[in-house]
Amino acid sequence: MCLAIPTLVVALLPDHGARVALDGVEKVISTLLVEPVVPGDYVVVHVGYALAKIDKDEAERTLALLAEMGEAS
Amino acid sequence: MKYVDEYRDGALAKGLLRAIARAVRADRSYAFMEFCGGHTHAIARHGIIDVLPQNLRMIHGPGCPVCVLPMGRLDAAMALARDPAVTLCTYADLMRVPGSHGETLIRAKADGADVRMIYSPLDALGLAEANPERQVVFLAIGFETTTPPTAAVVKAAEAKDLRNFSVFCNHVLTPMAMRAILEAPAHGEEAGPRLDGLVGPSHVSTIIGTDPYRPFPERYGVPVVVAGFEPVDILHAILMLVRQVNDDRAEVENQYVRAVTAEGNRIAQALMAEVFEHRESFEWRGLGTLPDSALRLRPRFARFDAERRFDMSSSGGRDHPGCACGAVLRGRLEPWECKLFGRVCTPDTPIGACMVSSEGACAAAWLHGSRSHSPDVPEEVSHV
Ligand code: SF4
């Protein structure tokens, strides 16, 4: 039930709405629960609401760290 | 899928497995609990248990909202569903959980009750607006992940002055459940497992942040690493836990930095605090009655509280006597150690909630059973 998926914000709609895309499927969600987002952002969506914005820099840093770790081993 | 596929990358996972294999000390064992049922399923589905070192054990925790909902609350929901004036809305997971007499919401629906499976609480709100002659009740369950959306629809119902919408609130709080696990005695009926570390939940933590976990390392000496849901995230978190144990450190660390901060989602927290207050105590399946561990609507929102609108005196239902869900939820028993597992109890004929829910440990063990860890399971199961 707590599974939530990162989805791409495609367009903003009135009343905190947003159109998001996941694997080519688009749907409308609410962004009421997060700081303002813009198209191009990724948000974690759960039961129709964005719960968190994905921090792209942190995501890159984690992957770089892990890649380095893999090379070192 | 961006931010998913990268964290399922085989090369990264192999690198992490090598790092874990190098880090674990041969002269000790490691027992880590993944609190969240989503992690339990990811660990089972991606076969993570089978590739970890032999002396590193993962124990599933109570983080499955359907599984911890006690029989009495389920029976109350079932009674509500049978009220001819009521349209009962809930998430898919709850539909097939058997109540005291083996009855389920899906059966009630087949018998004519107006039960609706919804994806979002907004769907329940929409049903209330579209059907003013019906009493629409949202049977709300879940940890802090699912709570802010419930708060949002209660506020929306207030703004729209809806007279036929209410919430049967069963939202529960992660930190109190973690505390119960860490405080469980080592022996006896209510015993818990020995734990060297906790994998903290992903999406609960996007809301509450990592700060609420700080008492656990301090008070119980148990490290906590909040982890994302993908296999690379989980392996990374396991490595971080192994390193803490080896260094004799106990801290809260955050692996899921791309979505979780120390303070969490302030907007969602404010909304939850506005709509909900803590219950003095709440009964959990498996963990017993825990103080301060669940939420109810604040008096300002009393008219949206199903427990005030309807007579919900419950009979305090009983679990199936053979079902070991309670011990499974405490991490005391593995699902296949339950006498009914795979024989009487399967996802098609579930006896307990842990076999129904997409986050339940028994369902995970059945669907992705690993033979090495479940010698009792018939062979064909292991190949599913
Ligand atoms: S296998 Fe079925 S009966 Fe046994 S603990 Fe799990 S849910 Fe309960």
Side-chain angles (χ1 to χ4, degrees):
Chain A
M1 174 158 305
C2 292
L3 278 179
I5 307 157
T7 55
L8 171 68
V9 177
V10 179
L12 300 183
L13 304 171
D15 288 334
H16 296 285
R19 204 161 63 240
V20 296
L22 175 73
D23 258 356
V25 181
E26 294 206 351
K27 60 189 290 184
V28 173
I29 60 144
S30 168
T31 64
L32 180 76
L33 300 172
V34 289
E35 301 283 351
V37 294
V38 293
D41 282 342
Y42 278 80
V43 287
V44 173
V45 174
H46 180 63
V47 299
Y49 286 82
L51 296 184
K53 196 158 108 177
I54 301 277
D55 185 325
K56 294 178 185 175
D57 298 338
E58 291 287 11
E60 293 306 320
R61 264 199 289 278
T62 303
L63 287 172
L65 174 87
L66 293 173
E68 218 172 272
M69 207 146 51
E71 272 158 28
S73 52
Chain B
M1 281 187 284
K2 188 149 175 60
Y3 300 118
V4 173
D5 295 339
E6 303 94 303
Y7 298 91
R8 291 184 182 171
D9 180 77
L12 286 184
K14 288 206 182 84
L16 279 164
L17 278 168
R18 281 195 300 271
I20 292 170
R22 265 204 322 271
V24 293
R25 283 172 23 194
D27 61 339
R28 63 158 298 153
S29 64
Y30 302 79
F32 301 139
M33 174 179 277
E34 79 279 359
F35 178 86
C36 169
H39 279 142
T40 301
H41 272 255
I43 287 169
R45 178 153 45 100
H46 299 288
I48 290 175
I49 322 170
D50 296 325
V51 291
L52 289 171
Q54 285 293 326
N55 55 340
L56 196 162
R57 191 159 93 91
M58 296 305 293
I59 301 167
H60 37 70
C64 163
V66 172
C67 306
V68 295
L69 188 68
M71 214 41 125
R73 307 284 294 181
L74 257 174
D75 288 349
M78 229 75 81
L80 209 49
R82 268 185 253 110
D83 183 331
V86 165
T87 297
L88 187 76
C89 308
T90 198
Y91 298 125
D93 262 13
L94 216 49
M95 298 286 288
R96 294 175 55 245
V97 182
S100 288
H101 311 291
E103 207 199 350
T104 62
L105 286 172
I106 234 170
R107 162 62 71 81
K109 185 180 169 73
D111 291 346
D114 190 1
V115 180
R116 311 285 180 100
M117 200 165 88
I118 54 168
Y119 161 70
S120 164
L122 285 167
D123 303 337
L125 199 70
L127 277 169
E129 281 185 286
N131 302 283
E133 76 293 349
R134 303 285 302 158
Q135 278 295 330
V136 175
V137 182
F138 171 43
L139 169 50
I141 65 163
F143 288 89
E144 294 87 337
T145 322
T146 316
T147 312
T150 304
V153 296
V154 170
K155 286 229 6 189
E158 184 189 49
K160 292 171 194 274
D161 195 22
L162 285 184
R163 304 295 167 98
N164 65 327
F165 177 78
S166 59
V167 173
F168 180 23
C169 178
N170 294 281
H171 286 301
V172 287
L173 302 168
T174 300
M176 286 313 285
M178 275 195 177
R179 205 175 120 176
I181 292 284
L182 291 169
E183 287 192 340
H187 306 285
E189 273 284 289
E190 303 297 312
R194 179 185 71 88
L195 290 182
D196 301 304
L198 277 167
V199 176
S202 313
H203 294 122
V204 161
S205 305
T206 64
I207 303 298
I208 68 174
T210 58
D211 281 344
Y213 306 120
R214 284 169 66 176
F216 304 127
E218 282 160 24
R219 246 187 250 158
Y220 307 98
V222 173
V224 179
V225 176
V226 168
F229 260 137
E230 300 305 330
V232 163
D233 293 316
I234 295 170
L235 290 171
H236 188 195
I238 291 171
L239 178 63
M240 290 164 81
L241 282 172
V242 168
R243 286 182 172 159
Q244 286 206 45
V245 170
N246 288 352
D247 299 348
D248 227 353
R249 276 184 298 130
E251 293 164 14
V252 174
E253 290 183 316
N254 183 6
Q255 183 279 331
Y256 198 31
V257 282
R258 63 187 184 278
V260 171
T261 59
E263 68 276 8
N265 179 337
R266 287 277 164 83
I267 297 174
Q269 288 169 13
L271 193 66
M272 282 196 289
E274 186 184 348
V275 173
F276 297 110
E277 62 186 15
H278 286 203
R279 294 177 192 262
E280 290 72 34
S281 67
F282 195 74
E283 191 197 334
W284 296 57
R285 177 179 287 129
L287 302 182
T289 301
L290 304 180
D292 230 9
S293 64
L295 300 173
R296 66 168 165 243
L297 295 178
R298 285 192 183 278
R300 171 182 149 197
F301 299 98
R303 64 202 162 105
F304 302 107
D305 189 344
E307 285 176 81
R308 298 183 201 228
R309 182 170 298 196
F310 302 93
D311 173 23
M312 309 252 297
S313 47
S314 123
S315 51
R318 298 282 301 271
D319 285 314
H320 188 288
C323 173
C325 265
V328 169
L329 286 165
R330 288 195 302 278
R332 187 69 191 169
L333 280 189
E334 296 287 359
W336 49 84
E337 292 176 293
C338 169
K339 289 191 294 294
L340 305 182
F341 179 84
R343 297 183 172 81
V344 183
C345 184
T346 69
D348 287 333
T349 55
I351 303 291
C354 303
M355 189 56 96
V356 180
S357 172
S358 57
E359 289 162 303
C362 298
W366 173 264
L367 290 170
H368 317 286
S370 98
R371 210 177 322 161
S372 57
H373 287 72
S374 48
D376 267 6
V377 180
E379 186 139 317
E380 64 272 20
V381 176
S382 320
H383 293 297
V384 177

